[in-house]
Amino acid sequence: MDQTEDDALRAALAQAEQFKNDGNAALKEKNYAEAIRLYTCALDLDPTNAIYLSNRSAAHLSNDSKTKALRDAEACIESKPNWWKGYMRKGAAEHALNRFDMAKQTYFRGLEKDPGNTSLQEAIEAVQVAHEAYSLQLKKENAEKEAIRQAHEAEAKAKADEEALLASFMDEVEALEDQANTVKKPEPVERIKPPVDFGTPEGQIIRLLQPHFEWINLNPFRVLMLDTDATDEEIKQHYRKLSAMVHPDKNPDPRAREAFEEIKKAHDQMTNEDRRKTCMRMIENAIEAVAVERKQKLKKFRVDQLPDINDLNEKAVLKAFADSENRRRNVEARELKQRRREVEQEEAEKEKEKAAYLHDKEWSQAERRDKRMANWLGVQSDPNKKVKTLPKNVGWQREEKKEPKKHGVVDGNEYKKSWK
């Protein structure tokens, strides 16, 4: 090698050393990307320099490029096998990659090269602590994952069990429906009600015509002594029984006819399906309102401190029917008033038209009278004035019916017409 080549080599090595020093400064300032660039420039000039490789490995590791740091550390060991720092760099990269066992082996290999190196010993202790912490963390994460997996499995199993239970229930329902469709249903048990005590005819008249009966008898169920769930047959039976007791042909009491009218009116309402449903709904709503109010009062009073529930229900039902009747009468009164107003307006219009007609008629008669008077005065003032008269044959005359000629018939006097 001549002198020129030696000078060029020394210059290149000096330049590489300068790049290394600048890279160290950048690494110290935590400018890792710039440090990596400068170390790379130094390695371009001296590719096998273990120091440059070690420093670039440290820069890569600080820049979180763990794999590149490991690659430079391995190249450093290959370039300088007996240097402990190469093993230090490789162990640090393996530690960062969570390869704890490999990192410990690498550190121990470094101690073989430099047995008393405290940095390697501290690194071994650090990697052991990190390995234990990582193992605990890994176990914790695995336990959490296992718990989540078991929870999902339990949820899926519970859902599957619920679906299976529902499917089983639906199968049972379908089986029962099929059985119900095939097996004859038992006949409904006939309701057994205690017999009704209708009392005496006189007692019925007193009941039906008691004071304010026109309001009390608005409830047809009460008049016919029926429950709200009465059947058509029960309605018919009660009507016949009560009618026989108070019918004016059978009961000599002078009030019998009026009592019979009350029974007949109630029966008419009960035989009207819509009216009966309306009455049932009114009774149910009134009783329900009493129950709600009583429930609120039971929070403050005892049961024995409250009025009898049957009396409250009877009063509530009576009030409901009375309110309904009042509303009906008010509506009827308004409609009657409206009809009267319309009739009065119609009569007023007729009177107005009649007056106009009479006025026009009187005016027309006066006008014709004035014309006749004027004509008469004109004739008196000029006797020679001829009065226009209508022609003799002008005006209304009855037309003579002419028989149509019959085809084929010859008039026998036709020839005489030629003599005239």
Side-chain angles (χ1 to χ4, degrees), residues 10 17 77 137 174 192 291 328 372 387 402:
R10 282 195 294 272
E17 191 67 18
I77 293 173
Q137 180 66 23
E174 291 179 358
I192 300 176
R328 187 193 67 79
R372 288 197 300 271
V387 180
K402 296 181 179 181

Side-chain angles (χ1 to χ4, degrees), residues 229-253:
D229 58 347
T231 62
D232 293 340
E233 184 63 27
E234 290 173 342
I235 294 172
K236 188 184 299 183
Q237 291 176 0
H238 282 228
Y239 173 67
R240 289 177 178 175
K241 179 66 176 178
L242 293 171
S243 298
M245 295 176 72
V246 300
H247 198 281
D249 294 342
K250 298 181 180 180
N251 194 322
D253 194 307

Side-chain angles (χ1 to χ4, degrees), residues 77-111:
I77 293 173
E78 184 179 356
S79 176
K80 196 173 182 180
N82 295 325
W83 190 35
W84 66 271
K85 187 162 283 191
Y87 298 97
M88 185 71 180
R89 299 299 185 202
K90 183 181 179 183
E94 291 171 340
H95 184 175
L97 291 169
N98 294 331
R99 302 174 185 176
F100 302 106
D101 293 334
M102 297 176 66
K104 284 192 290 184
Q105 292 177 5
T106 301
Y107 288 144
F108 279 120
R109 287 174 59 193
L111 283 175

Side-chain angles (χ1 to χ4, degrees), residues 275 277-287 316-317 320-322 324 327:
R275 179 58 185 167
K277 289 182 179 179
T278 301
C279 293
M280 291 173 61
R281 187 163 55 251
M282 290 170 60
I283 294 172
E284 291 172 358
N285 292 340
I287 294 175
V317 171
F321 277 94
S324 176
R327 288 193 295 270

Side-chain angles (χ1 to χ4, degrees), residues 375-390:
N375 292 335
W376 182 78
L377 291 175
V379 172
Q380 292 295 326
S381 60
D382 188 4
N384 297 324
K385 186 177 180 180
K386 293 183 179 180
V387 180
K388 292 183 179 180
T389 59
L390 293 174

